[in-house]
Amino acid sequence: MVKIAPSILSADFCNLERDINRVSGADWLHVDVMDGAFVPNITIGVPVVESIRKHTGMFLDVHLMIDKPARYIDAFCKAGADLLSVHLEADHPTRIADALHAMEANGVKKAAALRPITSAKAVLPYLETLDMVLVMTVEPGFGGQKFMEGQLDTIREVRALIDRYHPACELEVDGGIAPGTAERVIEAGATVLVAGSAVYGADDPARAIEVLRGRP
Ligand code: DX5
Ligand code: ZN
């Protein structure tokens, strides 16, 4: 069954513990790290991940939207991440490979993330070593954006590559996921759905999670 990963980007950062507890029925917790360089926004960093780790046993799915992520892999692993995603556009391929090796050495799950401009086959050099591929369905940087319909093709293409080369690999989709889009990305082959505004913008986040799972 599909996993739901609420994004705390849409939570109240002054009441983060309360807002994390509100989504404890979800499968993973999605943490968006932005550096103001790879994306035009700055969010949270290593100390916040460390604090979150102390307060929850949830699986921490940390999405690094930062330039040259290899510099920070050890720090985020030590802070308590369970999985790290690095963007393939964020550094030269050899340094992306270094970042993935550092995750492996720390015993943390490894994912490669694709901006909408990046084609599905960019994952091929890494695919057999990955635990997950993350396909963005908005331009990374902000919550609450409109789902990019054209990315359904990228999701299908990544699904075909995963089925062919590494069927155990998860396929996460991030951006504009709501009841209307969830069903279509699942159909296209997603196994993990990130949702920020659709969960935290709902009156009842726990129920919103069930609706996204397809159990209204
Ligand atoms: C955007 C982030 C997303 C964001 C999704 O760059 O990577 O995880 O929180 O927010 P929604 O679900 O509101 O599109
Ligand atoms: Zn994200």
Side-chain angles (χ1 to χ4, degrees), residues 7 9-10 30 32 34 63 65 136 139-145 174-177 194-197:
S7 165
L9 187 59
S10 296
H30 186 81
D32 287 304
M34 305 189 191
H63 180 189
M65 284 160 277
M136 291 302 302
E139 264 314 324
F142 300 92
Q145 301 183 77
D174 183 6
I177 299 301
V194 176
S197 44

mmCIF file of all heavy atoms in Angstrom, residues 7 9-10 30 32 34 63 65 136 139-145 174-177 194-197, ligand 1:
data_model
loop_
_atom_site.group_PDB
_atom_site.id
_atom_site.type_symbol
_atom_site.label_atom_id
_atom_site.label_comp_id
_atom_site.label_asym_id
_atom_site.label_seq_id
_atom_site.Cartn_x
_atom_site.Cartn_y
_atom_site.Cartn_z
ATOM 1 N N SER A 7 4.557 16.703 4.822
ATOM 2 C CA SER A 7 5.695 17.618 4.808
ATOM 3 C C SER A 7 5.498 18.680 5.883
ATOM 4 O O SER A 7 4.517 19.434 5.845
ATOM 5 C CB SER A 7 5.818 18.282 3.449
ATOM 6 O OG SER A 7 6.680 19.396 3.562
ATOM 7 N N LEU A 9 6.896 21.339 6.113
ATOM 8 C CA LEU A 9 7.025 22.701 5.580
ATOM 9 C C LEU A 9 5.729 23.486 5.793
ATOM 10 O O LEU A 9 5.761 24.708 5.950
ATOM 11 C CB LEU A 9 7.354 22.624 4.078
ATOM 12 C CG LEU A 9 7.694 23.930 3.373
ATOM 13 C CD1 LEU A 9 8.908 24.591 4.014
ATOM 14 C CD2 LEU A 9 7.966 23.688 1.892
ATOM 15 N N SER A 10 4.599 22.780 5.814
ATOM 16 C CA SER A 10 3.313 23.458 6.009
ATOM 17 C C SER A 10 2.873 23.454 7.469
ATOM 18 O O SER A 10 1.754 23.870 7.780
ATOM 19 C CB SER A 10 2.234 22.787 5.150
ATOM 20 O OG SER A 10 2.541 22.946 3.784
ATOM 21 N N HIS A 30 8.163 13.969 6.247
ATOM 22 C CA HIS A 30 8.999 14.567 5.193
ATOM 23 C C HIS A 30 9.519 15.921 5.673
ATOM 24 O O HIS A 30 8.752 16.790 6.080
ATOM 25 C CB HIS A 30 8.147 14.734 3.937
ATOM 26 C CG HIS A 30 8.887 15.194 2.722
ATOM 27 N ND1 HIS A 30 9.618 14.334 1.925
ATOM 28 C CD2 HIS A 30 9.008 16.418 2.153
ATOM 29 C CE1 HIS A 30 10.145 15.007 0.901
ATOM 30 N NE2 HIS A 30 9.802 16.290 1.031
ATOM 31 N N ASP A 32 11.791 19.193 4.681
ATOM 32 C CA ASP A 32 12.334 19.925 3.531
ATOM 33 C C ASP A 32 13.445 20.877 3.966
ATOM 34 O O ASP A 32 13.188 21.867 4.648
ATOM 35 C CB ASP A 32 11.213 20.711 2.849
ATOM 36 C CG ASP A 32 10.267 19.806 2.078
ATOM 37 O OD1 ASP A 32 10.751 19.053 1.203
ATOM 38 O OD2 ASP A 32 9.061 19.828 2.362
ATOM 39 N N MET A 34 16.163 23.569 2.785
ATOM 40 C CA MET A 34 16.436 24.473 1.645
ATOM 41 C C MET A 34 17.491 25.492 2.051
ATOM 42 O O MET A 34 17.481 25.984 3.185
ATOM 43 C CB MET A 34 15.156 25.211 1.253
ATOM 44 C CG MET A 34 13.989 24.296 0.946
ATOM 45 S SD MET A 34 12.606 25.215 0.260
ATOM 46 C CE MET A 34 11.312 23.976 0.336
ATOM 47 N N HIS A 63 14.563 15.685 2.711
ATOM 48 C CA HIS A 63 14.694 16.105 1.306
ATOM 49 C C HIS A 63 15.645 17.293 1.254
ATOM 50 O O HIS A 63 15.293 18.400 1.668
ATOM 51 C CB HIS A 63 13.282 16.471 0.808
ATOM 52 C CG HIS A 63 13.206 16.927 -0.607
ATOM 53 N ND1 HIS A 63 12.067 17.458 -1.155
ATOM 54 C CD2 HIS A 63 14.136 16.933 -1.612
ATOM 55 C CE1 HIS A 63 12.274 17.776 -2.428
ATOM 56 N NE2 HIS A 63 13.531 17.479 -2.727
ATOM 57 N N MET A 65 17.308 20.113 -0.472
ATOM 58 C CA MET A 65 17.296 21.004 -1.635
ATOM 59 C C MET A 65 18.417 22.010 -1.417
ATOM 60 O O MET A 65 18.194 23.192 -1.142
ATOM 61 C CB MET A 65 15.922 21.682 -1.747
ATOM 62 C CG MET A 65 14.856 20.736 -2.295
ATOM 63 S SD MET A 65 13.179 21.271 -1.925
ATOM 64 C CE MET A 65 13.025 20.629 -0.270
ATOM 65 N N MET A 136 9.851 15.346 -8.486
ATOM 66 C CA MET A 136 9.160 16.581 -8.113
ATOM 67 C C MET A 136 8.037 16.865 -9.104
ATOM 68 O O MET A 136 8.243 16.784 -10.324
ATOM 69 C CB MET A 136 10.121 17.774 -8.131
ATOM 70 C CG MET A 136 11.187 17.785 -7.058
ATOM 71 S SD MET A 136 10.587 17.745 -5.358
ATOM 72 C CE MET A 136 9.532 19.198 -5.275
ATOM 73 N N GLU A 139 8.100 22.965 -9.067
ATOM 74 C CA GLU A 139 9.479 23.435 -8.918
ATOM 75 C C GLU A 139 9.789 23.455 -7.425
ATOM 76 O O GLU A 139 9.019 24.032 -6.646
ATOM 77 C CB GLU A 139 9.624 24.864 -9.479
ATOM 78 C CG GLU A 139 10.117 24.969 -10.885
ATOM 79 C CD GLU A 139 11.316 24.104 -11.231
ATOM 80 O OE1 GLU A 139 12.219 23.904 -10.399
ATOM 81 O OE2 GLU A 139 11.341 23.596 -12.367
ATOM 82 N N PRO A 140 10.871 22.828 -6.982
ATOM 83 C CA PRO A 140 11.139 22.821 -5.543
ATOM 84 C C PRO A 140 11.334 24.232 -4.996
ATOM 85 O O PRO A 140 11.813 25.117 -5.696
ATOM 86 C CB PRO A 140 12.420 21.991 -5.424
ATOM 87 C CG PRO A 140 13.007 21.929 -6.783
ATOM 88 C CD PRO A 140 11.880 22.106 -7.753
ATOM 89 N N GLY A 141 10.953 24.427 -3.743
ATOM 90 C CA GLY A 141 11.149 25.723 -3.098
ATOM 91 C C GLY A 141 10.021 26.152 -2.171
ATOM 92 O O GLY A 141 10.264 26.739 -1.136
ATOM 93 N N PHE A 142 8.791 25.811 -2.556
ATOM 94 C CA PHE A 142 7.657 26.296 -1.776
ATOM 95 C C PHE A 142 6.541 25.260 -1.721
ATOM 96 O O PHE A 142 6.372 24.499 -2.677
ATOM 97 C CB PHE A 142 7.096 27.587 -2.391
ATOM 98 C CG PHE A 142 8.123 28.693 -2.430
ATOM 99 C CD1 PHE A 142 8.920 28.865 -3.558
ATOM 100 C CD2 PHE A 142 8.328 29.513 -1.331
ATOM 101 C CE1 PHE A 142 9.896 29.855 -3.604
ATOM 102 C CE2 PHE A 142 9.302 30.504 -1.363
ATOM 103 C CZ PHE A 142 10.093 30.679 -2.492
ATOM 104 N N GLY A 143 5.788 25.293 -0.621
ATOM 105 C CA GLY A 143 4.591 24.460 -0.526
ATOM 106 C C GLY A 143 3.435 25.148 -1.233
ATOM 107 O O GLY A 143 3.530 26.323 -1.619
ATOM 108 N N GLY A 144 2.352 24.419 -1.403
ATOM 109 C CA GLY A 144 1.114 25.017 -1.903
ATOM 110 C C GLY A 144 1.089 25.350 -3.380
ATOM 111 O O GLY A 144 0.235 26.124 -3.815
ATOM 112 N N GLN A 145 1.985 24.794 -4.189
ATOM 113 C CA GLN A 145 1.979 25.081 -5.630
ATOM 114 C C GLN A 145 1.101 24.086 -6.381
ATOM 115 O O GLN A 145 0.742 23.029 -5.866
ATOM 116 C CB GLN A 145 3.398 25.006 -6.192
ATOM 117 C CG GLN A 145 4.387 25.956 -5.547
ATOM 118 C CD GLN A 145 5.741 25.834 -6.229
ATOM 119 O OE1 GLN A 145 5.949 26.355 -7.325
ATOM 120 N NE2 GLN A 145 6.673 25.132 -5.580
ATOM 121 N N ASP A 174 6.431 14.398 -5.017
ATOM 122 C CA ASP A 174 6.410 15.541 -4.095
ATOM 123 C C ASP A 174 5.995 16.814 -4.830
ATOM 124 O O ASP A 174 6.671 17.235 -5.766
ATOM 125 C CB ASP A 174 7.831 15.693 -3.510
ATOM 126 C CG ASP A 174 7.950 16.789 -2.469
ATOM 127 O OD1 ASP A 174 6.924 17.385 -2.099
ATOM 128 O OD2 ASP A 174 9.091 17.029 -2.018
ATOM 129 N N GLY A 175 4.881 17.405 -4.367
ATOM 130 C CA GLY A 175 4.445 18.701 -4.892
ATOM 131 C C GLY A 175 3.028 18.671 -5.432
ATOM 132 O O GLY A 175 2.738 17.934 -6.379
ATOM 133 N N GLY A 176 2.146 19.428 -4.802
ATOM 134 C CA GLY A 176 0.775 19.536 -5.294
ATOM 135 C C GLY A 176 -0.051 18.269 -5.137
ATOM 136 O O GLY A 176 -1.027 18.070 -5.863
ATOM 137 N N ILE A 177 0.342 17.417 -4.182
ATOM 138 C CA ILE A 177 -0.430 16.175 -3.983
ATOM 139 C C ILE A 177 -1.636 16.454 -3.086
ATOM 140 O O ILE A 177 -1.511 16.990 -1.981
ATOM 141 C CB ILE A 177 0.455 15.061 -3.365
ATOM 142 C CG1 ILE A 177 1.628 14.721 -4.299
ATOM 143 C CG2 ILE A 177 -0.389 13.811 -3.074
ATOM 144 C CD1 ILE A 177 1.240 14.238 -5.688
ATOM 145 N N VAL A 194 4.241 12.609 -0.863
ATOM 146 C CA VAL A 194 4.496 13.717 0.058
ATOM 147 C C VAL A 194 3.306 14.661 -0.042
ATOM 148 O O VAL A 194 2.818 14.929 -1.138
ATOM 149 C CB VAL A 194 5.788 14.467 -0.341
ATOM 150 C CG1 VAL A 194 5.994 15.690 0.556
ATOM 151 C CG2 VAL A 194 6.988 13.534 -0.274
ATOM 152 N N ALA A 195 2.850 15.171 1.093
ATOM 153 C CA ALA A 195 1.769 16.165 1.043
ATOM 154 C C ALA A 195 1.941 17.147 2.181
ATOM 155 O O ALA A 195 1.999 16.748 3.354
ATOM 156 C CB ALA A 195 0.407 15.481 1.133
ATOM 157 N N GLY A 196 2.048 18.411 1.843
ATOM 158 C CA GLY A 196 2.184 19.467 2.850
ATOM 159 C C GLY A 196 0.858 20.155 3.079
ATOM 160 O O GLY A 196 0.169 19.896 4.072
ATOM 161 N N SER A 197 0.458 21.001 2.132
ATOM 162 C CA SER A 197 -0.756 21.786 2.343
ATOM 163 C C SER A 197 -2.015 20.918 2.407
ATOM 164 O O SER A 197 -2.943 21.242 3.145
ATOM 165 C CB SER A 197 -0.877 22.872 1.275
ATOM 166 O OG SER A 197 -0.570 22.359 0.010
HETATM 167 C C1 DX5 B 1 8.577 21.797 -2.137
HETATM 168 C C2 DX5 B 1 8.789 20.714 -1.112
HETATM 169 C C3 DX5 B 1 7.572 19.946 -0.794
HETATM 170 C C4 DX5 B 1 6.432 20.763 -0.224
HETATM 171 C C5 DX5 B 1 5.183 20.158 -0.770
HETATM 172 O O1 DX5 B 1 9.781 22.218 -2.637
HETATM 173 O O2 DX5 B 1 9.791 19.800 -1.529
HETATM 174 O O3 DX5 B 1 7.864 18.836 0.043
HETATM 175 O O4 DX5 B 1 6.364 20.765 1.169
HETATM 176 O O5 DX5 B 1 4.117 20.961 -0.441
HETATM 177 P P1 DX5 B 1 2.665 20.772 -1.083
HETATM 178 O O6 DX5 B 1 2.212 19.393 -0.727
HETATM 179 O O7 DX5 B 1 1.866 21.851 -0.420
HETATM 180 O O8 DX5 B 1 2.810 20.967 -2.565
#
